[in-house]
Amino acid sequence: MDVCDDGSVRRAVTSVYQKAGAIDVLINNAGLAYVATVEDMTMEDWRRQFETNFFGAVRVTQAVLPKMRERRSGRIVMISSVSGLVTPPTQGAYSASKHAMEGLSNALRHELYPFGVKTILIEPGYIVTNIQQTAVQVAQPVPGKDQEWAVRQSVCGSWSGAKSSRAKSKTTPEDCARVILKAIQAPVPRARYGVTPLATTLKWAKRLLPDNAIDAMIRRRYGITREE
């Protein structure tokens, strides 16, 4: 289905009900990432980022919830990100969409509690998938924005080599799938499941360290310095 299209979502959900009779689990995994500074992104790009990552999840969730509530059973799995906890440079739009997913999931967890429908957040860190290459492709330099583009190049450079260095990424999409399956099968699932060591580390760092310490770590990682 196209999660950005109401008709497409309705047709797909109706088709599943006709073939299977019920939907036990919904995994909201559709997403894309823009690599650009907040200043450089057009409003249309911002809307596309949220239409896929956030409104798409809302659209599909709304389509399946009525019958889940009627059956008093079901699980909504939201694929968030470590970027829903901290925000690297040039990932403001992507990170904002994942922060929104976190807030949406928190609300659903309370709203659906009386009906026995569980809402679960999956929070991966860096995992090599097609999203990195797509992000590099949509990132284009903006004339006269040398400093912003330098920051963006740093991020794109680390992502563009991801496909050739898959061995360096210890966590695979299959590892993430196993975590999702564990969350689906758990009698009493947790509200959140981290996937990578980075996700676990940053989750605790966010709780224990002040913001300026985390900011300093991120700036060192991407080589961001103050202009003289």
Side-chain angles (χ1 to χ4, degrees):
M1 72 179 76
D2 179 357
V3 299
C4 300
D5 181 82
D6 291 340
S8 176
V9 171
R10 284 195 300 268
R11 289 189 296 272
V13 171
T14 298
S15 176
V16 173
Y17 281 131
Q18 290 173 344
K19 294 177 181 179
I23 293 177
D24 298 304
V25 179
L26 167 65
I27 302 175
N28 281 308
N29 187 47
L32 71 147
Y34 279 86
V35 178
T37 62
V38 172
E39 180 182 354
D40 289 348
M41 279 187 63
T42 66
M43 291 308 299
E44 180 60 28
D45 287 341
W46 279 96
R47 293 186 183 97
R48 288 177 62 191
Q49 178 73 93
F50 271 79
E51 190 62 50
T52 301
N53 289 25
F54 178 70
F55 291 114
V58 173
R59 185 175 285 111
V60 182
T61 300
Q62 287 182 333
V64 304
L65 276 185
K67 291 192 176 183
M68 281 188 175
R69 285 193 296 100
E70 289 177 8
R71 296 175 63 227
R72 298 296 194 269
S73 176
R75 299 201 174 185
I76 309 292
V77 179
M78 300 289 198
I79 307 301
S80 181
S81 170
V82 70
S83 292
L85 306 175
V86 297
T87 306
T90 75
Q91 294 183 39
Y94 176 74
S95 184
S97 72
K98 292 303 184 180
H99 276 279
M101 286 283 280
E102 297 270 335
L104 171 67
S105 301
N106 291 339
L108 284 172
R109 207 164 54 248
H110 299 305
E111 294 170 0
L112 299 177
Y113 177 80
F115 307 101
V117 179
K118 310 293 186 183
T119 303
I120 304 163
L121 276 161
I122 305 295
E123 298 171 328
Y126 185 82
I127 299 175
V128 177
T129 66
N130 288 335
I131 196 171
Q132 287 90 6
Q133 187 59 37
T134 301
V136 172
Q137 290 170 354
V138 299
Q140 297 297 323
V142 178
K145 300 288 186 180
D146 294 338
Q147 177 62 26
E148 287 84 349
W149 180 238
V151 175
R152 188 163 20 176
Q153 279 183 310
S154 174
V155 179
C156 289
S158 63
W159 280 22
S160 61
K163 290 296 182 182
S164 62
S165 59
R166 182 177 290 272
K168 297 180 181 179
S169 179
K170 296 182 179 179
T171 306
T172 67
E174 290 77 14
D175 293 327
C176 187
R178 281 188 281 271
V179 173
I180 295 171
L181 182 61
K182 177 182 177 181
I184 291 171
Q185 294 179 333
V188 183
R190 302 199 303 266
R192 289 172 171 78
Y193 289 79
V195 177
T196 63
L198 174 63
T200 301
T201 299
L202 285 178
K203 179 178 69 175
W204 284 105
K206 185 70 174 175
R207 293 180 179 181
L208 301 175
L209 297 178
D211 285 341
N212 59 358
I214 296 176
D215 287 349
M217 292 167 57
I218 292 174
R219 288 167 188 154
R220 283 197 300 271
R221 165 65 179 83
Y222 292 100
I224 300 174
T225 57
R226 190 185 302 276
E227 289 187 354
E228 298 298 334

